[in-house]
Amino acid sequence: MTTMQRELRLSLNQTQRVRLQSALQQLEEMTSLASAITVVADTIPVNHEDSILKGHGTSDLNGEVVATLCGVVERVNKLVYVRAQRARYKPEVGDIIVGRVIEVAPKRWRLEINFSQDAVLMLSSMNLPDGLQRRRTAVDELNMRSIFVENDVICAEVRGFQHDGSLHLQARSQKYGKLERGMLLTVPAYLVKRRKQHFHHLENYGVDLILGSNGFIWVGEHVDMNGENHILADQVSREDMADKSCVGQVTQEVHERITPLEIRTHICRVANSVRVLSALGFNLTVEVIVDTVEASISLNTDIKDILAAEFYVQTAEREVQRRVSLSRKKG
Amino acid sequence: MEYVDSLTGFRLDGRRPNDMRQIRGEIGVVAKADGSALFEMGNTKVIAAIYGPREVQNKGQQANNQALVRCEYSMANFSTGDRTRRPKGDRRSTEISLVIRQTMEACILTHLMPHSQVILIEFLVHILLKFFMYFLPKICFLQIDIFVQVLQADGGTRSACINAATLALADAGIPMRDIVTSCSAGYLSSTPLLDLNYIEDSAGGPDVTVGILAKTDKVTLLQMDAKLPMDIFENVMQLAIEGCKAIAHYIRGVLLENTKQLECRRGI
């Protein structure tokens, strides 16, 4: 059995290994799509009498449709394409993504988003800290570093492709912008499904969870969006700090901004749950993540032990039960 | 030295002339790489990691209208019997890097990676004045990096590297024309031998390394540093091609199993 524990190196004992194997076996039996799976250079069976459209991951070889990727063959009306699993993120307009600023360039920021190229966030396609709608001036351009600097983690939306193929983002709402006081996790992009909702507030834990479609997942302290613009607040506090060079004042301010220990442990717990799920290769939805977090609490698992062998196996078994009950509901 | 026992017909390590060593492939061995694989042929053990497609780092290297493929081959200090310090760019490793790069370039669909506007924009650059270039959007070129490292060397490292790179490329989800596999064959004691190990390799006889595209039966790599009569060469090469096909069959199985597992685990 291939282990496929890319991120985790576990030492399973004999019973755990058997339990894990049987759980994965069950998962395999539950999904019956073996016929749709294809590997590189396999011929995809098509009915040549109907006209077909060859999509991504296919090519033509002597009249046959041949796969150029490993993955699952999908058919939508005439279109035949191969959906690859562990490939880089393929953006679609409207996706919510999390990225990291790698460069502040003239009028734009360049972001690393696990795409084959860097994404561009133009200064003109994001809300200014003062919240006003106006032309961006040269002064705004000079102040770009007061909004985002290199290595900041940002949440934004895919706006579209420019004619030269580069990817443009926008952050025109209060929910987008800089993410602070939390953890950025990277998982394979195929594990995050496009859904209506990518921003989640886990109320029991006071934690914000952003499932970026590009496989970047943000787990951070909850930020109240309804109140004043948090970017604005941030900037004001920065200016305050600059004005009052009094050290005592600054330390007091820093003190107020410290995340409580309880929330920090919650962040770690959620983050480790995401890690164990991605190591197992399970789809990452908010329900599954919350389930895993709750299970780890009810089992009295230490935060560090979420990444250990026992919880890993238990998570696999829980997933089997979840899918069994789901299929029962359907049936 | 007798490389094939004249009585039994067995080779030094107990194989028959047309036997291959045991092969094993494993996908997903490097956590942070886009794609990675481990490939073993007997005692030869090779690890491959793919990074990309990503933006070209060195602007001078970019190709015109296709993705850039780079390859770096290295041998671990502990990979051979005598522990030697190996300089990074020695002639042997540069040559093998080049060979692997060319073989993999033949199967990667590099023309899919760039954007079709690239040529048009280049044309524009030529006709526009120099200072207009500032206003032109940055043209993006992509590159794919292949890193292969030999962990244990026992002959046939370049074949093992190519096989590992194929597995890793498939894992990284990079579109490929075909599965490219490689295997070597030699001619010692008037017998064609498949998949030479280190002792047979260092005997100084002819060593033919063949790389083929398994489905289309096209040769992408053929190397030999000795002289052989034409008819014998054909036999040796045929033997190597048979070996390549056997490896391709195995690699296909590994990929199928891996894809199936990933999909089943992901669920609906």
Side-chain angles (χ1 to χ4, degrees), chain B residues 114-177:
Chain B
H115 301 278
S116 49
Q117 270 81 11
V118 167
I119 303 158
L120 176 83
I121 290 171
E122 268 184 335
F123 175 67
L124 277 175
V125 170
H126 284 299
I127 55 170
L128 287 176
L129 285 171
K130 196 88 176 174
F131 69 90
F132 271 125
M133 280 174 69
Y134 176 76
F135 297 103
L136 279 172
K138 192 183 144 282
I139 312 160
C140 171
F141 295 91
L142 299 183
Q143 73 174 26
I144 297 165
D145 290 307
I146 304 171
F147 293 96
V148 281
Q149 180 155 43
V150 179
L151 302 181
Q152 284 178 43
D154 184 30
T157 51
R158 76 188 73 185
S159 306
C161 286
I162 288 168
N163 297 332
T166 308
L167 272 177
L169 281 170
D171 180 40
I174 290 167
M176 290 195 289
R177 234 173 285 262

Side-chain angles (χ1 to χ4, degrees), chain A residues 68-266:
Chain A
T68 59
L69 294 169
C70 297
V72 183
V73 181
E74 300 275 352
R75 288 161 205 265
V76 181
N77 293 334
K78 284 182 183 176
L79 178 70
V80 179
Y81 68 95
V82 180
R83 175 165 53 79
Q85 288 143 336
R86 275 183 47 83
R88 289 215 162 189
Y89 164 63
K90 294 219 170 47
E92 281 175 26
V93 175
D95 278 355
I96 287 160
I97 54 129
V98 177
R100 193 183 277 278
V101 178
I102 51 168
E103 190 189 343
V104 182
K107 289 185 194 158
R108 72 197 69 196
W109 293 273
R110 304 177 64 73
L111 270 74
E112 214 290 291
I113 59 158
N114 191 30
F115 181 40
S116 51
Q117 22 174 319
D118 302 329
V120 172
L121 176 64
M122 298 290 288
L123 175 62
S124 57
S125 56
M126 72 163 295
N127 275 0
L128 287 180
D130 55 12
L132 290 176
Q133 290 290 343
R134 57 175 170 81
R135 273 186 75 101
R136 307 301 192 267
T137 58
V139 181
D140 290 326
E141 208 178 317
L142 289 173
N143 286 332
M144 274 173 70
R145 268 179 214 275
S146 69
I147 305 175
F148 304 135
V149 294
E150 286 90 346
N151 296 325
D152 275 356
V153 178
I154 286 178
C155 174
E157 184 184 307
V158 176
R159 177 171 158 222
F161 296 91
Q162 288 310 93
H163 59 278
D164 64 329
S166 67
L167 183 72
H168 275 226
L169 306 175
Q170 61 180 2
R172 286 193 192 279
S173 151
Q174 301 217 344
K175 59 184 180 181
Y176 302 129
K178 184 143 103 182
L179 302 170
E180 281 176 305
R181 284 184 271 173
M183 286 167 112
L184 177 71
L185 306 164
T186 47
V187 300
Y190 78 95
L191 294 177
V192 183
K193 233 180 177 180
R194 294 191 171 89
R195 286 186 132 198
K196 258 185 195 160
Q197 199 50 258
H198 284 262
F199 293 89
H200 302 283
H201 173 206
L202 312 182
E203 273 144 20
N204 298 349
Y205 310 106
V207 164
D208 268 346
L209 179 69
I210 303 174
L211 301 170
S213 306
N214 58 338
F216 284 20
I217 290 178
W218 177 260
V219 188
E221 190 193 2
H222 177 62
V223 185
D224 199 10
M225 291 293 165
N226 302 329
E228 55 175 341
N229 189 336
H230 70 286
I231 299 176
L232 177 66
D234 185 38
Q235 185 149 30
V236 169
S237 69
R238 263 192 206 180
E239 279 163 9
D240 280 356
M241 270 188 236
D243 288 346
K244 301 164 193 160
S245 50
C246 167
V247 184
Q249 189 80 31
V250 173
T251 45
Q252 196 191 346
E253 195 128 13
V254 168
H255 227 69
E256 280 166 16
R257 286 167 48 90
I258 276 180
T259 315
L261 176 65
E262 195 194 353
I263 303 238
R264 275 184 281 160
T265 55
H266 284 323

